[in-house]
Amino acid sequence: MNLLNDATPLFDNRQKLTALIDAMDSQYNPENRMLTSPFSSPGYHTTIKQAPFIHSTRSSLAYALGLLDTEQEYNAQRAFDIIGQVVSLQDTDRSRSTFGIWSWFYEEPLDQMSPPDWNWADFCGKLLVLIISRHAERLPAELRKAVEQAICNACDAIIIRNIGPHYTNIAIMGAFVTLIAGELLERQNYAAYGLDRLAKLHAYTMPRQAFQEYNSPNYTYIAILELSAIVTETSNPQAKQLGNELLDIAWKSVADHYHASTQQWSGPHSRCYQTLLTPLNKAFLQMATGGRLAFYPESELLYNEGWYKCGAVCPEQYVEQFLHPAERTVRECFGVSGSGDEKWSTTYMTPAYSLGSFKKEIMWNQTRTLLAYVDNGGQATYLHLRALHDGYDYCSAIFHGEQRAGHVLFGVNFVVNGGDTHPNLDMIDGTIEASDFRLRLEVGGALEQIGKSVHKDQVKLQIGETALSLVTWFAAFSGQGEKPEPKEWRWEINEIDSGNDTSGNNKDSGSSILAIDLVIHSGEKRTIDFAKLEQAAFVFSLSIGDEAASFAPQVVQTAEQIEVSGDWHHEALALSLPLRPGKQ
């Protein structure tokens, strides 16, 4: 079933696409034959720090495909110009490690990136494959030949890199590029590789019924689009079957975690770029459920050119879960860590709130290790735990959690061999320079009707009709060779402008957030040598609901670790953390 066809009563597919493409007209730059976009950066890959605008290779190709998909002849020449320009920017030197990929931006060649992003063989390659699949006969002969060669280069780069099934969206996208390119260009070696790559992802995913990029609003969405594209484009029956079975896993995950009262995607999230669903996210869910999940009237429904003919539709058996608030628990083992430990997550939902947490996870800016959504008078208020180094999420902070229903006992400690702003691209040697270092429970979204108070080591919140309690059970951060000084650990609550957040996490939270902070250091820049710290660990509990303050555990400290244990509704609950920072 193809959701996005002209027979769908929800909206006119071609009309939506044409309106979107026409609205992008002013962004086209005829001088370099690319699309102009506002500059944004996650803080890695690109070395550009500030710029009023850039010209993105990926966005330009997506625009070119959209121009052709409108079937308007007056759009064709512009599309050809863009395609020719972007194809010319691909690295075609087989002696280089970047062969077959593109830089992110026209303004920044591959040699200036730090490092280049090899995913661009997949992202740009997919768009070129769709251009050939839908519009090959319309392309001028020389341009078609150049596009087909660029696709082959991208396929070769994808095969050389050979990403495994642990990197979900790239495993799928690379399978699409190679499988469909192989079919279109009659390259059996590409088609065989693509099918094998998809089969490996299937074999990896089916036993745990979850993707490695677990419960990711961004990447589950991409997985649905890419798997739907495979099912739509391939002529291979086995590929269709594998794709449909993986799509069922993806849609079940979305439905299981959707919180109807707040209209949010419950945590925890392994990778996420915004904590609240965007209007575009909601528009996709509305279209994929055939309008059963209704956020907007048709005239206000946003559209993305990547949805055109993609075939994305939510299976009927999961649609009802989106529509009705319910109490449920989702507890899943979704993978295995590098040390061989199972990776677990827990999500608990009631009509009033949802609460999700990982058992153990790094705290970088793409994870939501501890995340709650609360119904605040029909709007969503979120709570998101963060560890901040000079305002940016610190990857070498490690979250540990034990959750039972609406109560989670959790801790934070540190490793000496992790990353700073990124888990792989920005490694530390055990030390950082910091003028500010803190833990934060960030409260965002709807900030009206929130009552708040601090009582020594406890924070009490009242969000709408829901009570929450945050309690500190243990806090220590000392021992860099000096005699530790006694420190009174106390939460601070301040309403701050979200624009001051350098991590990019708050682009969706409105003009301000409530920052519930436990300050570890603030002031003069100092060196923190985690290898020399004798104690660096924190243990808290967060409780939501009527019995938010009824947990009274025992706290036992030894020379090596801290253990906090107690009963929660007659069920044992305990958490132990090493006091000294160690290795991952």
Side-chain angles (χ1 to χ4, degrees):
M1 175 179 179
N2 186 344
L3 172 71
L4 303 179
N5 59 50
D6 289 341
T8 302
L10 179 62
F11 67 98
D12 186 321
N13 181 39
R14 181 71 59 75
Q15 184 181 63
K16 283 282 189 183
L17 175 67
T18 301
L20 176 66
I21 294 301
D22 286 349
M24 298 169 70
D25 180 75
S26 62
Q27 295 177 245
Y28 179 66
N29 183 349
E31 293 184 3
N32 63 9
R33 304 185 301 285
M34 294 181 72
L35 194 70
T36 302
S37 306
F39 172 72
S40 64
S41 166
Y44 41 84
H45 285 308
T46 179
T47 58
I48 298 174
K49 302 301 181 185
Q50 288 185 329
F53 58 84
I54 47 80
H55 297 85
S56 163
T57 49
R58 176 187 174 189
S59 297
S60 295
L61 277 181
Y63 176 55
L65 175 60
L67 288 166
L68 294 175
D69 282 340
T70 67
E71 303 290 346
Q72 301 293 331
E73 281 306 313
Y74 61 81
N75 284 330
Q77 188 57 54
R78 178 179 291 187
F80 300 156
D81 290 343
I82 295 170
I83 295 166
Q85 172 70 312
V86 176
V87 164
S88 74
L89 298 176
Q90 185 186 42
D91 188 344
T92 59
D93 185 346
R94 289 184 177 273
S95 68
R96 289 164 50 91
S97 64
T98 51
F99 167 76
I101 74 172
W102 287 261
S103 65
W104 280 4
F105 310 130
Y106 176 81
E107 290 77 7
E108 183 179 39
L110 284 167
D111 290 341
Q112 294 178 18
M113 295 184 70
S114 181
D117 188 350
W118 277 264
N119 292 345
W120 249 231
D122 308 80
F123 280 104
C124 294
K126 178 205 172 181
L127 293 165
L128 292 175
V129 166
L130 288 174
I131 287 169
I132 290 295
S133 175
R134 298 176 188 170
H135 306 289
E137 298 305 317
R138 298 175 64 190
L139 299 182
E142 286 301 311
L143 180 60
R144 177 174 176 174
K145 181 178 179 182
V147 170
E148 291 179 350
Q149 183 58 56
I151 290 171
C152 291
N153 295 342
C155 287
D156 291 342
I158 289 167
I159 293 170
I160 291 169
R161 189 183 182 201
N162 198 29
I163 284 293
H166 61 283
Y167 196 167
T168 308
N169 68 307
I170 296 302
I172 300 169
M173 201 176 298
F176 173 90
V177 175
T178 51
L179 174 66
I180 307 305
E183 294 180 6
L184 293 173
L185 304 181
E186 299 182 344
R187 291 288 299 266
Q188 180 57 33
N189 58 324
Y190 291 161
Y193 175 86
L195 180 61
D196 181 65
R197 183 163 169 147
L198 184 63
K200 286 178 179 176
L201 176 66
H202 183 274
Y204 181 84
T205 305
M206 294 304 289
R208 55 180 64 90
Q209 292 289 296
F211 294 122
Q212 180 74 10
E213 291 170 320
Y214 176 76
N215 192 36
S216 167
N218 296 88
Y219 290 103
T220 305
Y221 162 74
I222 292 175
I224 289 171
L225 289 180
E226 301 310 321
L227 289 166
S228 298
I230 287 176
V231 172
T232 299
E233 293 286 336
T234 187
S235 59
N236 187 303
Q238 183 183 357
K240 286 183 181 291
Q241 179 180 345
L242 295 173
N244 278 321
E245 290 176 4
L246 289 167
L247 274 169
D248 188 80
I249 290 175
W251 276 115
K252 183 178 186 301
S253 178
V254 182
D256 282 348
H257 289 91
Y258 183 76
H259 188 239
S261 299
T262 59
Q263 299 182 338
Q264 296 299 321
W265 190 318
S266 298
H269 302 152
S270 61
R271 295 187 70 184
C272 181
Y273 297 117
Q274 65 281 320
T275 309
L276 295 173
L277 290 180
T278 67
L280 195 64
N281 296 148
K282 292 180 178 180
F284 175 75
L285 291 175
Q286 182 167 330
M287 288 189 294
T289 58
R292 304 268 293 281
L293 184 61
F295 299 102
Y296 309 106
E298 190 275 336
S299 61
E300 298 177 13
L301 199 64
L302 297 180
Y303 189 77
N304 182 281
E305 67 272 14
W307 301 345
Y308 185 77
K309 292 187 177 180
C310 76
V313 60
C314 178
E316 182 63 30
Q317 65 263 34
Y318 300 126
V319 172
E320 286 299 313
Q321 282 184 242
F322 286 98
L323 304 179
H324 306 294
E327 181 175 354
R328 65 178 176 267
T329 298
V330 180
R331 189 167 186 269
E332 295 181 297
C333 176
F334 62 93
V336 179
S337 70
S339 60
D341 297 327
E342 291 183 335
K343 303 182 73 170
W344 284 87
S345 75
T346 301
T347 305
Y348 175 70
M349 278 179 269
T350 74
Y353 69 88
S354 74
L355 175 65
S357 64
F358 288 118
K359 186 175 181 66
K360 183 179 180 181
E361 190 55 85
I362 64 172
M363 297 179 69
W364 75 312
N365 75 328
Q366 290 187 29
T367 59
R368 303 294 184 270
T369 55
L370 174 63
L371 180 63
Y373 294 102
V374 182
D375 183 0
N376 188 351
Q379 299 186 73
T381 298
Y382 72 79
L383 295 91
H384 161 39
L385 182 71
R386 305 173 67 185
L388 299 175
H389 168 205
D390 290 336
Y392 201 97
D393 299 84
Y394 183 57
C395 294
S396 289
I398 310 298
F399 173 88
H400 305 257
E402 290 289 341
Q403 182 177 339
R404 306 290 185 272
H407 178 82
V408 57
L409 177 64
F410 67 95
V412 177
N413 66 353
F414 305 90
V415 294
V416 299
N417 63 335
D420 184 0
T421 61
H422 190 280
N424 306 118
L425 304 179
D426 185 20
M427 305 302 289
I428 65 169
D429 60 0
T431 66
I432 59 172
E433 299 289 325
S435 57
D436 192 274
F437 198 59
R438 65 183 62 206
L439 301 179
R440 171 175 293 169
L441 184 64
E442 176 180 294
V443 183
L447 297 184
E448 300 78 13
Q449 303 185 67
I450 296 182
K452 53 189 179 297
S453 61
V454 179
H455 306 273
K456 293 184 179 179
D457 53 9
Q458 182 179 19
V459 176
K460 293 184 177 180
L461 298 175
Q462 185 74 32
I463 302 177
E465 298 180 358
T466 303
L468 302 91
S469 174
L470 173 67
V471 181
T472 304
W473 299 110
F474 179 82
F477 196 88
S478 63
Q480 291 197 173
E482 75 277 5
K483 183 179 179 180
E485 297 180 3
K487 179 178 176 68
E488 181 180 356
W489 296 95
R490 183 179 177 87
W491 291 98
E492 302 175 357
I493 304 180
N494 295 288
E495 185 167 338
I496 63 174
D497 184 349
S498 63
N500 293 329
D501 181 359
T502 61
S503 70
N505 275 324
N506 288 308
K507 57 188 175 183
D508 55 6
S509 65
S511 60
S512 62
I513 59 171
L514 282 182
I516 304 175
D517 290 351
L518 194 70
V519 179
I520 299 170
H521 170 69
S522 185
E524 295 290 328
K525 181 171 286 190
R526 59 175 284 199
T527 299
I528 300 177
D529 188 341
F530 287 91
K532 293 182 179 179
L533 292 179
E534 295 173 3
Q535 296 184 350
F538 301 84
V539 181
F540 315 98
S541 63
L542 177 66
S543 303
I544 308 180
D546 295 334
E547 300 179 59
S550 62
F551 184 59
Q554 290 184 323
V555 180
V556 178
Q557 179 181 351
T558 69
E560 300 295 329
Q561 70 174 19
I562 182 69
E563 180 175 352
V564 179
S565 60
D567 291 328
W568 177 254
H569 287 193
H570 309 293
E571 184 176 359
L573 191 61
L575 184 69
S576 298
L577 294 182
L579 288 173
R580 296 180 67 105
K583 293 185 176 181
Q584 295 191 89

